[in-house]
Amino acid sequence: DAKTTQPPSMDCAEGRAANLPCNHSTISGNEYVYWYRQIHSQGPQYIIHGLKNNETNEMASLIITEDRKSSTLILPHATLRDTAVYYCIVRVADSWGKFQFGAGTQVVVTP
Amino acid sequence: DTAVSQTPKYLVTQMGNDKSIKCEQNLGHDTMYWYKQDSKKFLKIMFSYNNKELIINETVPNRFSPKSPDKAHLNLHINSLELGDSAVYFCASSQDLGGETQYFGPGTRLLVL
């Protein structure tokens, strides 16, 4: 699976959009981009995933560049409860559920 | 209702002891996993089971023995505990082996003294 690079930390003001970048320049054509987050002292939580097209669900939007070498997770209206470590993971579909979690980005939402 | 539950939540024990962590999911999923999160916060997969069959064993020492009595349960037994086993252990489940959306339990914090 391709590696990802994320900033170690970022701050965001409550109510504003949080844009979390992820670089995955060695991504292969059959690899998906997944985002999970881990709120302090809890298990990771699935957010969203995509292959080529932009995706949106009730939690977030995922924007993948045309060359697929990077992506951005957008939390449209950040709340204090969005403070967490956010993991960007690249993985081949049907790879038996195996996720390689990196260090992620610590996002702190401030009032 | 808790989707993925683990017991105990905390476990403090002496080196050399044997301990078990239990995991149950009520989502009707076919696939279950064990992950280990060490002190540096890196989360690594240890095992996955699909319909009670072992699918992934990520070169985990054989002191760790998972057991799946049915597809709703995946327990982790650890023999001869070592200091380096201190970590948070997460159980997770997914609908099937594709495992795109995994649901994680709250974690078991193991401290070996």
Side-chain angles (χ1 to χ4, degrees), chain B residues 11-20 63 77-83 85 110-113:
Chain B
L11 189 50
V12 181
T13 188
Q14 299 286 333
M15 239 177 10
N17 283 351
D18 304 337
K19 289 292 177 186
S20 292
R63 297 183 295 105
H77 188 76
I78 315 171
N79 288 327
S80 302
L81 277 155
E82 300 176 358
L83 295 177
D85 297 331
L110 172 65
L111 177 61
V112 182
L113 301 174

Side-chain angles (χ1 to χ4, degrees), chain A residues 8-100:
Chain A
S9 64
M10 59 185 296
D11 293 338
C12 177
E14 189 178 18
R16 305 295 293 267
N19 296 305
L20 283 62
C22 179
N23 284 325
H24 31 79
S25 58
T26 60
I27 193 170
S28 300
N30 61 347
E31 288 182 311
Y32 286 70
V33 179
Y34 295 80
W35 285 85
Y36 276 74
R37 73 179 183 184
Q38 187 173 19
I39 295 169
H40 182 62
S41 295
Q42 295 183 22
Q45 177 190 23
Y46 167 82
I47 302 173
I48 199 166
H49 75 283
L51 182 63
K52 294 182 197 176
N53 300 324
N54 298 336
E55 303 287 345
T56 295
N57 63 20
E58 65 279 2
M59 288 183 71
S61 295
L62 174 60
I63 308 297
I64 302 174
T65 57
E66 197 167 335
D67 64 8
R68 303 211 319 124
K69 293 185 176 182
S70 66
S71 60
T72 301
L73 180 75
I74 301 172
L75 308 177
H77 304 286
T79 70
L80 299 180
R81 285 173 295 186
D82 292 323
T83 293
V85 177
Y86 287 75
Y87 299 99
C88 170
I89 305 163
V90 169
R91 195 197 73 153
V92 177
D94 294 330
S95 58
W96 292 355
K98 190 173 159 181
F99 280 104
Q100 303 279 11

Side-chain angles (χ1 to χ4, degrees), chain A residues 32 34 36 38 40-46 49 87 91-103, chain B residues 31 33 35 37 41-45 48 55-56 58 90 97-107 109:
Chain A
Y32 286 70
Y34 295 80
Y36 276 74
Q38 187 173 19
H40 182 62
S41 295
Q42 295 183 22
Q45 177 190 23
Y46 167 82
H49 75 283
Y87 299 99
R91 195 197 73 153
V92 177
D94 294 330
S95 58
W96 292 355
K98 190 173 159 181
F99 280 104
Q100 303 279 11
F101 287 81
Chain B
T31 310
Y33 312 84
Y35 284 83
Q37 188 166 41
K41 303 296 184 184
F42 285 105
L43 195 62
K44 294 182 182 175
I45 191 166
S48 76
I55 302 296
I56 293 174
E58 280 293 297
F90 288 99
L97 269 180
E100 293 169 342
T101 306
Q102 295 185 16
Y103 295 82
F104 283 78
R109 284 140 187 87

Side-chain angles (χ1 to χ4, degrees), chain B residues 45-108:
Chain B
I45 191 166
M46 299 173 71
F47 301 103
S48 76
Y49 269 71
N50 187 63
N51 277 323
K52 304 193 297 176
E53 267 193 60
L54 178 66
I55 302 296
I56 293 174
N57 178 340
E58 280 293 297
T59 59
V60 178
N62 57 14
R63 297 183 295 105
F64 291 78
S65 52
K67 284 190 171 52
S68 182
D70 55 62
K71 72 174 193 177
H73 295 84
L74 181 62
N75 304 324
L76 184 64
H77 188 76
I78 315 171
N79 288 327
S80 302
L81 277 155
E82 300 176 358
L83 295 177
D85 297 331
S86 295
V88 183
Y89 292 84
F90 288 99
C91 176
S93 74
S94 64
Q95 183 72 50
D96 51 38
L97 269 180
E100 293 169 342
T101 306
Q102 295 185 16
Y103 295 82
F104 283 78
T108 295

